[in-house]
Amino acid sequence: MSVVTKDITEKNEQVTNELFPVFLKLDHLKVLLVGAGKIGLEKVTALLQNSPRTTIKVVAKEVTPAFRAFTEGYDNVRIEERGYEATDLEACDVAIVAANDKILSQAIFTAARQQNKLINVADTPEYCDFYLGSIVKKGNLKIAISTNGKSPTMAKRIKEVLNDALPQELNDSIDNLHKVRNKLNGNFEYKVKKLNKLTKVLLEDDTAFNEKKWRRIATYSLLAFGLMLVGHFTFTYIIPFESIKNGLLSLYSTLDASFLVMFAAGFFAQLVDGALGMGYGVVSATVLLSAGVSPAAISGSIHTAEMFASGASGYSHYKFGNVNKKLFKALVLPGVIGAVAGAWLLYYLGEEYSNLVRPILACYTLLLGIKILYTAYQNQIKKKKFKHYKALAGAGGFFDSFGGGGWGPIVTTTLITKGRSPKYVIGSVSITEFFVTLSSALTFFLLLGVTHWQTILGLIVGGLVAAPIAARLVGKLPRRTALILVGVLVIVWSVRILIKVL
């Protein structure tokens, strides 16, 4: 090894992150934030998302509308539109500077050092006593990520990876271990040994894992071979391939020209619904309305087809780890009750309601489209406590049956705007949707029977093809872009229907 290479290697080995990680109880401290622009918004967002009760004094000559909108409703945030004064620093415990003024930033840093105050100056590591790292939060579990101030972008990417990799159920495990810990008797050493024994099962032995892996492979291979034998016997002696081919050709010849349109509608509707947690009923309803199908038949067709698509979608979301079990349990029963009530009411309003309901449903989907666009342009979503899951699910199920769509836009949009994780909201709402659509479809079947079977078949086939693709793509499309696309599409279809009616 050359001398130069050796020196570089030794230098790289000596470079380490010497920051000491701590978690501050900011709600016990007073924070001064200088600046209320784009950087200031990032800082105040990080503070309030992690410690919403922190007392924050904001000093800035100009306050952006986005900053003011985000902090609105926080009584513990006081904004003073003026220049920085020396007395501002004296009244705080921690200072964060997000002002685009190097001279002012340096002056505040010097004063903070003289007064023994902790300070962070944005994008200026040499003026920082601490960094605001990227945070991964799963209930009581919180992980802070630091790159020693070298690359905030890398910290952000690692945060996204961990946020997707760590299951939401980790918080349930922490709560359960806390309860066990409180019940344990004995000294500290005994408690540590007992908890270590309980959590040891989380670390599966590599040998056992490999054994299970090869056992699964062997089992699946035997099943595949068995199915091949059964299939060969069935298609050779019981149902020859020639009979199957003739039957499929006969079925295809009975399909009208609209089948491919319905297939495309089912595929796109499920792709949107599976990826965004909304849109299947809205998109399908607007297409069928424009085709002149009656409202009761629309809702019956949509829910019969959606039953299959939502089942495939829910299973796919479950396999990809997108489902929160507690949220599912809170939504499923009220959603089913609401769906049955909506289907029953729509049927008993009678055919005279048909001509009246068409523009009303178009207005309804138009309003949903506007709401989706409004949600897309909200810069920040403030976390709020939400307890009315049963009422929300009941209303979503009712309007989904009654209006031919609305479960996703009502339930998903509401939960996301309350600050819940979009990934788990979409997955949980999608698997719940199967039971909601199943109950609605059964109700319509008992009341109407099965009509428009070609429409239903097209929607089913298109939805089944799109379901696993959508579950895999959930969260990949930028949130704003996705919501804008859905909102614009729904609005265009709704306006088109209104024009035809009027």
Side-chain angles (χ1 to χ4, degrees), residues 4 33 58 115 131 255 303 312 320 329 369 377 379 389 391 396 402 424:
V4 176
L33 175 60
V58 182
Q115 298 179 34
Y131 299 132
L255 299 177
H303 288 90
F320 288 122
K329 291 178 181 178
Y377 282 97
N379 292 323
Y389 293 100
F402 189 71
Y424 294 104

Side-chain angles (χ1 to χ4, degrees), residues 74 162 262 273 284 422 444 466 471:
Y74 285 99
L162 288 176
M262 295 307 167
D273 186 80
S284 301
F444 279 115

Side-chain angles (χ1 to χ4, degrees), residues 153-324:
T153 301
M154 176 58 73
K156 181 180 178 181
R157 293 292 172 251
I158 294 173
K159 168 190 172 181
E160 292 172 353
V161 171
L162 288 176
N163 202 46
D164 289 338
L166 296 175
Q168 197 71 20
E169 287 74 17
L170 273 177
N171 189 54
D172 296 336
S173 300
I174 293 172
D175 288 338
N176 292 334
L177 285 172
H178 177 68
K179 294 174 183 177
V180 172
R181 179 188 177 190
N182 290 338
K183 293 180 180 179
L184 289 176
N185 297 318
N187 58 26
F188 178 77
E189 184 179 357
Y190 169 77
K191 290 182 178 180
V192 170
K193 288 182 178 179
K194 190 67 175 178
L195 289 172
N196 283 341
K197 185 178 180 181
L198 289 172
T199 55
K200 191 176 181 180
V201 296
L202 299 174
L203 302 174
E204 189 174 28
D205 182 73
D206 289 340
T207 304
F209 175 78
N210 289 330
E211 288 178 358
K212 289 182 180 179
K213 176 183 175 182
W214 289 109
R215 194 181 300 128
R216 281 198 300 267
I217 292 174
T219 302
Y220 292 151
S221 299
L222 287 173
L223 286 174
F225 182 70
L227 289 173
M228 288 173 61
L229 290 177
V230 172
H232 176 72
F233 177 79
T234 301
F235 295 126
T236 302
Y237 300 104
I238 301 176
I239 311 175
F241 273 113
E242 190 66 26
S243 299
I244 297 175
K245 183 185 74 172
N246 293 334
L248 290 175
L249 290 174
S250 176
L251 175 63
Y252 179 78
S253 64
T254 63
L255 299 177
D256 57 33
S258 67
F259 177 79
L260 292 179
V261 175
M262 295 307 167
F263 172 85
F267 179 86
F268 184 69
Q270 184 55 44
L271 192 65
V272 170
D273 186 80
L276 301 174
M278 65 182 78
Y280 189 96
V282 177
V283 173
S284 301
T286 48
V287 172
L288 297 179
L289 276 169
S290 64
V293 183
S294 69
I298 286 175
S299 199
S301 299
I302 288 174
H303 288 90
T304 302
E306 194 176 8
M307 178 175 61
F308 294 90
S310 61
S313 177
Y315 176 77
S316 300
H317 278 293
Y318 180 78
K319 292 296 290 183
F320 288 122
N322 302 336
V323 177
N324 183 310

Side-chain angles (χ1 to χ4, degrees), residues 395-467:
F398 177 82
F399 285 110
D400 198 58
S401 291
F402 189 71
W407 168 258
I410 291 173
V411 181
T412 303
T413 304
T414 301
L415 293 177
I416 290 177
T417 54
K418 296 299 179 182
R420 294 192 67 110
S421 169
K423 175 181 176 179
Y424 294 104
V425 168
I426 293 170
S428 305
V429 170
S430 294
I431 196 171
T432 309
E433 189 175 18
F434 167 72
F435 297 94
V436 172
T437 53
L438 174 62
S439 59
S440 181
L442 288 174
T443 305
F444 279 115
F445 174 76
L446 293 174
L447 296 173
L448 294 171
V450 178
T451 58
H452 297 82
W453 69 270
Q454 295 193 30
T455 298
I456 295 172
L457 182 61
L459 293 174
I460 288 174
V461 175
L464 290 177
V465 172

Side-chain angles (χ1 to χ4, degrees), residues 41-63:
L41 177 60
E42 292 180 2
K43 301 296 184 183
V44 79
T45 300
L47 291 171
L48 293 176
Q49 284 184 343
N50 287 283
S51 188
R53 293 180 294 176
T54 301
T55 300
I56 304 174
K57 178 181 177 181
V58 182
V59 176
K61 291 182 178 180
E62 295 182 5
V63 180

Side-chain angles (χ1 to χ4, degrees), residues 5-33:
T5 306
K6 183 178 180 181
D7 290 342
I8 293 173
T9 303
E10 291 178 352
K11 185 177 179 181
N12 288 335
E13 290 176 351
Q14 293 172 359
V15 176
T16 58
N17 188 333
E18 297 181 352
L19 296 172
F20 185 77
V22 295
F23 288 92
L24 296 175
K25 293 183 178 180
L26 278 184
D27 54 338
H28 295 172
L29 304 174
K30 295 179 181 179
V31 177
L32 170 67
L33 175 60

